[in-house]
Amino acid sequence: MDAQDRPELESIVLQIGEAMLTTIETVDRLSQRVDTLADQVQQQGYQVFALTDAVQTLIETQNESLKRLDRLTDVLERLVTAVDPSDSSPS
């Protein structure tokens, strides 16, 4: 190796080292961002689960309310028939 080649080789090695450090810093920042994104996705998953559970509860409550309304309608129809039997006979 010539003495002339040595400074050029040192410069190349220095540039490679700087590029490696920059790459490591970039990968580290990317890793932090991916971790943040993963946390956000996990939180959204929890929120979706809670929302799904709330909707399911709402559906069950609505179904129960509809059953009660059906029973109430039946009772009211029987009450009307009992109070005014002429209303149920054909005209």
Side-chain angles (χ1 to χ4, degrees):
M1 179 183 299
D2 293 294
Q4 291 175 331
D5 293 338
R6 190 174 182 108
E8 192 173 315
L9 183 60
E10 287 176 1
S11 175
I12 291 171
V13 169
L14 181 61
Q15 289 174 1
I16 290 172
E18 289 173 351
M20 291 289 291
L21 286 176
T22 301
T23 301
I24 289 169
E25 290 171 358
T26 301
V27 168
D28 190 41
R29 283 194 307 269
L30 178 62
S31 173
Q32 291 172 355
R33 290 179 181 170
V34 168
D35 286 345
T36 300
L37 182 60
D39 289 343
Q40 290 172 350
V41 168
Q42 185 177 29
Q43 286 299 319
Q44 288 176 348
Y46 293 146
Q47 291 170 347
V48 167
F49 178 78
L51 181 59
T52 301
D53 191 48
V55 168
Q56 182 62 39
T57 301
L58 180 61
I59 290 169
E60 291 169 2
T61 302
Q62 184 180 13
N63 287 339
E64 188 59 35
S65 294
L66 288 173
K67 289 177 188 175
R68 288 180 179 179
L69 281 172
D70 285 343
R71 289 195 301 266
L72 179 59
T73 301
D74 290 342
V75 168
L76 287 174
E77 286 174 351
R78 282 185 269 144
L79 180 60
V80 167
T81 301
V83 171
D84 189 7
S86 64
D87 190 39
S88 61
S89 62
S91 303

